[in-house]
Structures are given as structure tokens and as C-alpha cells.
Amino acid sequence: MELRTSSINFPKLRGNGPVTQTTDIHFPREVQKAIAGIIGYSSGFSGGNDHHLGKLQVQLDTEIDGDLVKVTGTFGLRDWSGDWDDDYEGNIQFVVVAELVGASEPRPRGDLSITGMEFNQATQHFRSSRHLDAPNIRPDNFIPLIARKDTAVRVYVDYDRNSGLPVINTLSGELVIDTGFNSVTITPENTVSPNRDNQIDRGQIDHTLNFIIPENFCQNQLVLRCKVFDISNPSPASRNFERTIYFENRVPLSLYAVGIHYTGQKLDLSAPTLSDITGTDAFSTMEVVYPVPEVYISGYTEIEFNKDMKADIDDGCGDGYSSLLDTLRDMQGSSSDVYYGFLPNGFDSGNVGGCGGGSGRVAASPFDFFGGLAQETGHAFGRDHAPCDDSSRCNNPDNQDDKYPQYADFDSDSIGEFGFNPRTNELFTPLNNHDFMGYSNSTPQWVSPYTYMGLLGTFPSSEGITAFLMRSFVFDKSNTDFDNMISFHSRHHNLGSEWLRKETLKLYLWITIDRKRNVTRQPSFCYYTAQVNNHGEKSKFIVELIDDNGNTLVCQNLIGNCGHCKENCYPKSFRQFIPYKENAKKLIIYEEDKLIYEEEIIIPEEHTLKFDFDNDKKGFILQWENLTSKIEHTYLLHWQDSDGQWRGLASRTQDKTAFIPAKMFGKRETMNIRLLCTTGISTLIVKDTLKLLKKSRNKVTIIPVGNKNLNNWFSVAIIENNKMIPDASIIWYNDNHQEVSRGKSINLKKLRRKMSVLHAVALYDGNRYIRTWILNQEGIHDVDGKKLKNK
């Protein structure tokens, strides 16, 4: 007994019904009996129009033809009028259960033997003793596989040309993927001129047969069965080689994209749009080299920035990038997302390609620079630079990672192992390719096992709780439901409270100390957050909070932590979170045992907040004031996203007005806001709720991802109100509306020979969204986009 799952898509119909569509389901042997069962369907009238339901017919029929089962779907939808005079669409998802004839295969070839399988999603250890020194040798397939991530399978074949059997000039094969309830057979991306096993060079991509398992199959446990054969005479083949592989569920990398409208250096450069950012190869490549199922854009906004970005790498990030990171940190609020400033091209940055790190997950670079996006995000997660041992090959950056391994005799920042990009069938070698955390730019950068495994610990397992839930249940300590929600999820997901973000009251302290030990404190804010300092070296400077009786409430070393810093230079700037106590009366700073700074903590004045909706500007105008105006305050305005996270509207200000566009509401009618008012340390928080009189329209689109230089694969994402939908359900159909693949990515290399039209159907929030492309030898061309409202 074998099972196959598939689906039938019915495009927009009108004028007749019910209608039929037929799709072919192949099995490895002749089918004796078969039945098709419906496991899900969707139906609706096109254009979002509401109709009374008059008739809905969803039906499946099967026909057996050798090893082929033809499944015919019947679908019809009309209203009470009795006529088929309205546009309607639908989709039927089904499973075929088939009984096959008994297998009677010829004896396998004695000159062919599969000797191993390498499973590579970005980098992998395999036969590492052949090219690495003892401290860096790891077992085969040591690096774990991430669920919902395309996986390359490199098959190693030993061929005895002197066996006396007919000579094989070109080798091919097939890989059967068994999920436990479904199986599918895939063909390799290449063919091989076979060799003896000891002659296989792992650094040659065509020395192995390379199969790509699409992301939609890469979940839980898979049983793989592979056989290889002479492409000109497939029977007999080698013995089946079987392996079971497992995938770890990990949360996605969550980026909040900030498009920078750059007006510095006497320029006026428009901010990169969300589609500009996601459409770069830099974005899609980062999704491969990071140990995550996907890179998820949690939101997008634009700001104007005018600081001079020109800097010298020998002097660190420079004032421009440092100032931009400060702005992004203010916008980050209590969110755990990486806030990334995407700059347009065309400005003079000197020799600094980007900057990241510091206190909080913030980073910035030009929007289409892979080395910037991958490396600066790495700094935001606490990664230091890969070392440079040759100034003629690489720049010699500060903050080099002294734990980065020296892989055999390769370059100091070599990737060490063989990397693989499953989306392009591209191989990366440790001899020529370097880690993206380094500064070698002479060859394409990739990722080492050291960096990949180091980042893996940053993204926790999502077993038992989805990434959406982990972002959704974020509460103020003042929220009376907080403890109840922790208890609920501990009971229903068998998880402890450590899986929820624990928010505590912290002070985001911003201190600068010059060489003469003069201390300057920038306005700092207190609020509940789960933020912690990511990395950095403890300095000899110590900050303390003191109560009325001189008791120490908090004592911490100031930490120097940025992506590009000079350790022994002044002034030193410290930006970090420290625990805050509401009964603190004084802040003091020591250099070891010497007191160099003290400050009385001043309580903020009460503030009032009012707002009105501006119909012309289509948003809320907020105004606030303090009652006596005797003390100078600095302000930071936060808004609460639909996932529960507090985000900054813009950087800190001393103005007393702000504007919140209605489009920021998304599909919500209300939005919580909070105004943070600080006198320098102590912070007053004023909360309110904005309510739209008219609900915003929910805008959902399907956009291409990372296809600036289209290669073998085509990827898309679902965007709702400038936010990506993680773990989106996408089904691909050909011009006959037969299903050809599932998942956010599809292999075009095999489709171009078979089809000219490609439909992406996204199932989300009870609706179906469709976008169509035309395929030809020149590339892929957009046709249109449309939405069908489900009933």
C-alpha cells in the first residue's frame, strides 16, 4: 500500500458548472487498486463579493492506467439564482491510496555501490579527515538539519570499470523520499562520469550525484532510498541505499526592515522599498547561510537620515553609522527582532560597508550587499570578525574572534568545510571561499561550520510552540494575564516559562567617557523589556544605582560591545541595559575603586497626552505636555504591534508632537501606544489606545524574493501590510492547473522544459491569493495578482 498527496486548482470560472480537472499521480509499479480521498478544499466567489450559497459540489474520481492513477476533480459553486453567472474559484487537496503489484526487480549491478550520502543545507562535515587537521575533524553529517530548509543530498558512488560488465559512461539515479504517509521520487540535478570511490574529489560538484529535497518535504523524519544506474540502460541498477534523516524545528530569523531615505552628503536618495530589499540575492542567500527555516520581515517603515556616512575602517563605524545604530536602537523598543537599517546605494561610505552590534540587535548596510547584511546581522547576534592573516587578501578588522578555528592550512578566515547552496546547486570550497564574518572579498563569501553552529544556538527550537506564539505572548508585567498565560502554555505545550520572553524593568543607559574621565550621559529610558546585552568585554568602569540610605541596588561593569571598535582608544561609548530599581536615588560610576561620576535621579513631571485623527494626512496627530514645564524632558514614543511587541516610532526627541499613519494599524481597529518621558534616567510612561473609526483594508500580496539574478530557483513570500507571513502555505501549479510543487521556493530548472505558465497559490487566513508568471528562456515575467475571498 502506498499513498500520494496532491491537489487540483480550479482557476476563475463563469458561465457553466460543475467543471472538471484531471491530474496524473505516478507510482513506482503497476497499480491494482486505488482510491482518492478529499483531505481539504477551499472555494469562493472571485473579487471578494459576498453571495448566498446555492450549490457547492466537490468530488473526486479515479482511473487506473498501469503505474498511473488519473484523478478527476469536479467542482462547482453558484448562488441562489440557479445560474452560473458569477466568477468563482476553488482548490481540492486529496490523498490517493493505492495497492501495487508485487516487486520483482532484476539482480543489482555488481559494479555499482553507493558508499555514502552527504546532507548539506549550507555547510557540512563529511569525510573531513581527508582535508582537515585533527582538532577540526567531525563525524559525517555532524551538522544538524533545519526543518523547512532546502536540503542537498550528495550521493557518493563507487564504480568498478574493470568488472567485465558493460561500461557505464554516464551515471544517473533516483531518490525516493518517504515521509511515512507520502513518498515521492526525485531525479538528480546532474549526471556523473563514474569513478572509484577513492578518486572522488569532494571539491568537484560533478563527482557526486546531487539531489535537492524541496523545503516542504524537509520536516520531522524522512526515509531516503537511492539507487543509481547507467543513464542509457537503467535496468539493472545498483542496490538501494537507505538512510533516515531528522530535521530540527527552529524559529526564523526575524528582521524589522527600516528603509533609509538618505539626505546626507548633499544627496536625496530614496529609501529602498520592501520589495527592493526582499528582491535581492543578498536577502535570499542570507536565508541559506543562516541556520533558520526562513528570514522573516516582521515589519517595514521608512525614516529620513542625514548624517555623513563616510568612515575609515581603522576608526571603527564612524559617526554616521554609529548615529544610525542609535536611531535604530530607539526604534527597537522592547522588541527582540533585529532592527536593520537598509541604506540606498549612491552615497560615500569610505571603506566601511556596514555596522552592527552594540547593545541590542541593530545593524545597517546598503540594502543589496550580502557581506553587509550577513555580517552585520552576525554582529547583532554577538559574532566577532573572522581573523585575517594576510593584508594583501583581506582587511584586518578589530574585534577578531580568537576562537575562530584554523582549518588545516587554509586561509585564516576560510570556511573550512565544503559549502553547498541547494537553491543554485553551487559548491563552495575551503581553499577559495571565506566566511562572511571575515573581510576577504576576492571570492564569493559563504559560511563555516564554526559560524553556522555558533549562530544555531541563537535560534531556539520551536518544538511544541510556533514562532508566532513565541512572538505573540509578550506582556507588560502590569498585565494581569501574564502569569495566567505562562501557566496556560506550560500546561498545553508542556513547556516551562523559559520559553516565553521574560520582561523585567531595565534602564537603557548611554554613557560616554573621554580620556580625562569626563562622563557624559545621554538621555536614558527605563521600561519593561526582555532585551539583554549580546556580547562584549567588561571594562574597568562600574555603574551602580544607590538608594536613599546609600545601599547599592545594582552594580554592573560597563561593557564595550560594538561590531567595529578600537579597544584602547577614547572616548569610549557604552550603550547597555542594566536592571533598574524604582527606589534608586543616585547613579554613580567608578573606574575600579575611584569614583569618577555621580548624579541625583530626578523624577519626571506628570504629562498629559491627547490626539486627533487628521483626515487629510490619514493618521493620528499626537500632542503632549508636562504640567509645570519646570524640568527638561526627552521623549520616546512606542506603539504596540499586532504580535504584542512594543516598537519605537522614531528616535528620541524633545518635540512634543508625533504622527502615526493609519496604515500602521494593519487590519486592526485599535493600537496601544505609550509615551516615555525621561529626565535623564527615571522615566514616566503614559499609555493610551488609538481607535480607527474605519477599519483599514487588509492588503495581502505575493512578491518575489531574492530573484535579482534569477538562477535555478524562484522564491516568493506572502506580505500582509508590509509584514511577511512566516511558514506560509504556498502551492505551485502549471498552465493546466496541476500541482507541481509546494513551499516558498520552486526549482525552475526542471520546469522550463515542461511548462510556460506558473501559478503560485497562497492559502492564508481563510483566503486564497494567486499570482501568475510566464516562463520562457529569457526568464520569468509577471502577469497579474488577484485575491479570492473564501466563503
Side-chain angles (χ1 to χ4, degrees):
M1 194 76 68
E2 291 205 21
L3 293 84
R4 298 287 190 276
T5 59
S6 189
S7 62
I8 300 174
N9 191 50
F10 294 85
K12 185 168 66 176
L13 308 167
R14 187 172 186 165
N16 67 309
V19 296
T20 62
Q21 292 271 13
T22 299
T23 190
D24 296 339
I25 306 298
H26 291 271
F27 289 85
R29 301 190 302 279
E30 186 173 335
V31 178
Q32 289 184 325
K33 298 178 182 179
I35 187 171
I38 297 173
I39 57 176
Y41 72 92
S42 64
S43 63
F45 293 98
S46 303
N49 299 318
D50 292 328
H51 297 272
H52 295 291
L53 179 61
K55 180 180 181 179
L56 171 64
Q57 182 172 345
V58 181
Q59 179 181 325
L60 292 176
D61 296 287
T62 59
E63 178 185 348
I64 299 173
D65 183 11
D67 65 347
L68 182 70
V69 176
K70 295 180 178 291
V71 180
T72 299
T74 303
F75 172 72
L77 175 67
R78 62 170 172 79
D79 58 15
W80 286 353
S81 68
D83 298 320
W84 305 90
D85 55 356
D86 298 299
D87 294 336
Y88 66 96
E89 305 181 55
N91 179 279
I92 304 175
Q93 300 184 50
F94 62 88
V95 60
V96 177
V97 182
E99 183 177 326
L100 309 184
V101 299
S104 57
E105 298 182 358
R107 289 176 60 85
R109 288 189 64 135
D111 56 347
L112 285 177
S113 176
I114 297 175
T115 56
M117 282 184 184
E118 172 190 342
F119 308 110
N120 201 325
Q121 294 180 321
T123 184
Q124 186 58 270
H125 290 287
F126 195 81
R127 300 183 174 180
S128 57
S129 62
R130 298 188 181 185
H131 64 280
L132 287 179
D133 51 325
N136 294 307
I137 294 172
R138 299 292 184 275
D140 288 353
N141 297 309
F142 176 78
I143 296 175
L145 301 177
I146 307 301
R148 298 190 296 113
K149 193 175 180 72
D150 300 313
T151 304
V153 181
R154 300 188 70 185
V155 177
Y156 293 74
V157 181
D158 180 39
Y159 171 55
D160 182 4
R161 186 177 293 270
N162 299 317
S163 66
L165 294 174
V167 174
I168 300 175
N169 294 314
T170 305
L171 193 72
S172 187
E174 63 182 30
L175 182 70
V176 177
I177 306 168
D178 189 346
T179 66
F181 62 89
N182 190 18
S183 65
V184 65
T185 301
I186 62 175
T187 57
E189 299 292 304
N190 63 331
T191 57
V192 169
S193 296
N195 292 302
R196 296 310 306 246
D197 183 76
N198 60 9
Q199 295 175 335
I200 294 176
D201 181 356
R202 192 172 168 222
Q204 300 294 321
I205 194 168
D206 287 331
H207 276 211
T208 57
L209 276 177
N210 306 317
F211 298 84
I212 308 299
I213 305 178
E215 62 179 49
N216 59 299
F217 288 104
C218 298
Q219 300 187 60
N220 303 316
Q221 171 184 305
L222 295 180
V223 177
L224 304 180
R225 291 184 293 272
C226 184
K227 64 181 179 180
V228 296
F229 45 76
D230 185 343
I231 195 170
S232 62
N233 185 20
S235 181
S238 70
R239 292 183 182 275
N240 271 328
F241 185 89
E242 183 172 310
R243 286 290 183 269
T244 300
I245 59 176
Y246 306 89
F247 295 90
E248 295 185 4
N249 289 306
R250 297 278 172 163
V251 298
L253 167 53
S254 185
L255 291 180
Y256 193 95
V258 181
I260 309 300
H261 173 199
Y262 186 62
T263 56
Q265 300 177 351
K266 299 181 180 180
L267 299 170
D268 188 358
L269 304 176
S270 299
T273 65
L274 181 58
S275 59
D276 288 337
I277 295 165
T278 60
T280 62
D281 284 342
F283 185 84
S284 61
T285 302
M286 183 173 172
E287 194 170 67
V288 178
V289 299
Y290 269 66
V292 294
E294 60 184 319
V295 179
Y296 158 66
I297 299 291
S298 59
Y300 172 84
T301 192
E302 293 182 7
I303 63 170
E304 184 175 318
F305 189 77
N306 62 6
K307 301 293 184 181
D308 189 351
M309 303 301 295
K310 187 174 182 179
D312 189 323
I313 193 67
D314 290 334
D315 296 325
C317 289
D319 293 340
Y321 272 112
S322 296
S323 178
L324 180 54
L325 294 187
D326 289 335
T327 298
L328 294 171
R329 179 63 204 86
D330 282 340
M331 295 181 68
Q332 188 181 37
S334 59
S335 168
S336 60
D337 296 345
V338 175
Y339 264 62
Y340 207 101
F342 291 94
L343 287 149
N345 294 315
F347 65 92
D348 184 1
S349 65
N351 60 359
V352 176
C355 195
S359 56
R361 295 175 177 173
V362 292
S365 72
F367 75 99
D368 58 354
F369 177 32
F370 165 69
L373 181 59
Q375 183 181 115
E376 306 312 335
T377 303
H379 287 320
F381 284 115
R383 308 301 301 177
D384 287 327
H385 294 116
C388 174
D389 60 356
D390 184 354
S391 59
S392 65
R393 188 193 75 251
C394 52
N395 289 324
N396 198 25
D398 293 304
N399 294 344
Q400 294 185 25
D401 188 346
D402 57 8
K403 296 181 181 178
Y404 193 93
Q406 175 62 54
Y407 290 106
D409 294 327
F410 301 126
D411 294 338
S412 60
D413 53 345
S414 165
I415 59 174
E417 267 291 0
F418 290 86
F420 203 97
N421 187 341
R423 294 183 177 177
T424 61
N425 196 36
E426 186 177 6
L427 181 69
F428 301 88
T429 74
L431 181 63
N432 299 318
N433 296 102
H434 303 89
D435 194 277
F436 63 72
M437 291 306 300
Y439 267 80
S440 293
N441 298 314
S442 57
T443 59
Q445 293 176 314
W446 201 243
V447 64
S448 66
Y450 176 77
T451 296
Y452 193 84
M453 294 295 285
L455 287 167
L456 183 65
T458 305
F459 302 98
S461 170
S462 59
E463 295 286 356
I465 185 167
T466 66
F468 173 76
L469 286 173
M470 292 187 73
R471 282 192 300 276
S472 297
F473 297 107
V474 180
F475 302 90
D476 285 345
K477 191 175 181 180
S478 58
N479 190 322
T480 56
D481 290 331
F482 184 78
D483 290 335
N484 290 335
M485 292 309 298
I486 290 180
S487 175
F488 173 85
H489 280 276
S490 296
R491 295 194 308 270
H492 287 74
H493 296 284
N494 194 28
L495 294 169
S497 60
E498 66 273 13
W499 286 100
L500 298 176
R501 294 175 56 241
K502 182 66 173 178
E503 296 198 335
T504 57
L505 184 62
K506 293 189 178 73
L507 169 66
Y508 179 57
L509 186 62
W510 184 348
I511 293 288
T512 302
I513 303 175
D514 67 18
R515 190 174 293 278
K516 295 182 178 181
R517 303 316 189 254
N518 296 313
V519 177
T520 303
R521 176 199 44 76
Q522 298 294 333
S524 303
F525 293 89
C526 296
Y527 49 89
Y528 280 91
T529 179
Q531 282 282 357
V532 295
N533 293 313
N534 296 306
H535 73 298
E537 297 295 329
K538 290 183 178 180
S539 73
K540 56 187 176 183
F541 300 104
I542 300 169
V543 60
E544 294 185 6
L545 294 176
I546 306 298
D547 68 8
D548 262 341
N549 299 318
N551 299 314
T552 300
L553 303 174
V554 174
C555 178
Q556 281 198 355
N557 288 85
L558 291 177
I559 297 175
N561 48 4
C562 66
H564 304 270
C565 298
K566 287 289 187 181
E567 294 182 2
N568 300 316
C569 294
Y570 284 84
K572 291 187 178 295
S573 185
F574 301 96
R575 298 165 174 84
Q576 71 188 77
F577 284 98
I578 65 171
Y580 189 76
K581 305 297 182 182
E582 293 179 338
N583 60 332
K585 299 300 180 181
K586 184 182 291 188
L587 181 144
I588 59 177
I589 296 177
Y590 286 90
E591 181 179 7
E592 296 179 337
D593 293 329
K594 181 180 179 181
L595 180 66
I596 62 171
Y597 180 81
E598 60 181 323
E599 174 185 1
E600 298 288 338
I601 296 176
I602 301 174
I603 303 300
E605 296 179 342
E606 293 295 322
H607 280 66
T608 58
L609 175 66
K610 62 180 182 179
F611 50 85
D612 293 296
F613 190 84
D614 190 313
N615 288 308
D616 294 331
K617 293 184 177 181
K618 296 183 179 180
F620 287 91
I621 295 178
L622 282 66
Q623 294 179 314
W624 56 87
E625 60 182 1
N626 46 327
L627 300 182
T628 64
S629 300
K630 292 181 179 179
I631 304 173
E632 185 178 86
H633 294 77
T634 302
Y635 305 99
L636 192 58
L637 184 64
H638 286 175
W639 59 282
Q640 193 171 34
D641 203 351
S642 57
D643 59 10
Q645 300 194 67
W646 287 101
R647 306 181 184 274
L649 182 69
S651 59
R652 59 192 63 193
T653 181
Q654 291 186 326
D655 293 338
K656 295 185 177 182
T657 184
F659 176 72
I660 296 184
K663 64 182 180 180
M664 292 181 63
F665 281 67
K667 58 184 178 181
R668 296 177 293 161
E669 295 181 0
T670 62
M671 177 192 291
N672 295 327
I673 59 170
R674 66 184 188 188
L675 178 68
L676 282 65
C677 318
T678 183
T679 54
I681 297 176
S682 181
T683 304
L684 170 74
I685 298 180
V686 182
K687 293 185 178 181
D688 215 322
T689 300
L690 307 180
K691 183 175 183 179
L692 290 174
L693 296 178
K694 183 179 180 181
K695 186 178 179 180
S696 299
R697 180 178 295 179
N698 183 26
K699 184 179 180 181
V700 177
T701 56
I702 302 174
I703 66 169
V705 173
N707 301 293
K708 182 178 180 181
N709 298 308
L710 189 63
N711 202 326
N712 297 335
W713 287 70
F714 183 60
S715 300
V716 298
I718 305 177
I719 301 294
E720 180 183 28
N721 299 315
N722 284 332
K723 178 186 294 188
M724 274 188 180
I725 305 304
D727 196 14
S729 176
I730 297 174
I731 308 176
W732 301 85
Y733 296 92
N734 61 16
D735 45 355
N736 294 321
H737 300 281
Q738 295 179 332
E739 180 181 329
V740 292
S741 188
R742 295 192 177 204
K744 61 181 181 294
S745 302
I746 186 169
N747 191 337
L748 296 180
K749 186 177 179 181
K750 297 180 179 179
L751 291 179
R752 275 204 181 93
R753 299 189 299 267
K754 302 177 182 179
M755 59 189 297
S756 58
V757 177
L758 183 64
H759 308 278
V761 177
L763 308 177
Y764 168 64
D765 199 22
N767 296 314
R768 296 189 308 123
Y769 301 88
I770 304 173
R771 191 164 177 180
T772 301
W773 289 270
I774 299 295
L775 281 168
N776 58 31
Q777 295 302 319
E778 297 176 356
I780 187 164
H781 308 277
D782 187 35
V783 175
D784 59 9
K786 57 183 176 179
K787 170 188 172 183
L788 173 67
K789 184 176 181 181
N790 241 19
K791 298 303 293 181

